[in-house]
Amino acid sequence: TDEVFETVAGKVYPCIVVEMSFDGKDESKGSSKRWYSPGVGLIKEVIEVKTPTEGFRTEISFQKTETIKKTK
């Protein structure tokens, strides 16, 4: 799917979103969702795993950094 990702600083990146789900042999289930932006790459990832007794969620956001060259 296509979405946009907005940073805390207000910068907006157009994204392609890839979603996956899986079932484990031990009745666990999980899903992942990744946001990719052209020219930037992976900018956000959310992974959720649920077992019969527990649930886990990991959310990671990346930021693009740029080097600014000083002029004399």
Side-chain angles (χ1 to χ4, degrees):
T1 61
D2 292 333
E3 292 184 17
V4 293
F5 178 82
E6 185 172 353
T7 66
V8 177
K11 187 153 186 176
V12 176
Y13 294 96
C15 295
I16 295 170
V17 180
V18 178
E19 296 181 73
M20 296 181 285
S21 62
F22 54 89
D23 295 324
K25 292 180 182 179
D26 60 351
E27 297 183 25
S28 62
K29 295 183 181 221
S31 64
S32 80
K33 189 173 181 180
R34 295 179 177 163
W35 289 256
Y36 293 92
S37 183
V40 178
L42 179 64
I43 60 172
K44 183 177 179 181
E45 179 177 44
V46 176
I47 300 170
E48 293 182 335
V49 177
K50 294 179 182 174
T51 70
T53 58
E54 296 181 277
F56 304 92
R57 177 182 169 96
T58 303
E59 185 169 330
I60 303 168
S61 294
F62 302 90
Q63 71 179 36
K64 182 178 178 182
T65 58
E66 298 177 19
T67 303
I68 301 173
K69 187 175 180 180
K70 291 184 178 181
T71 58
K72 294 182 181 183

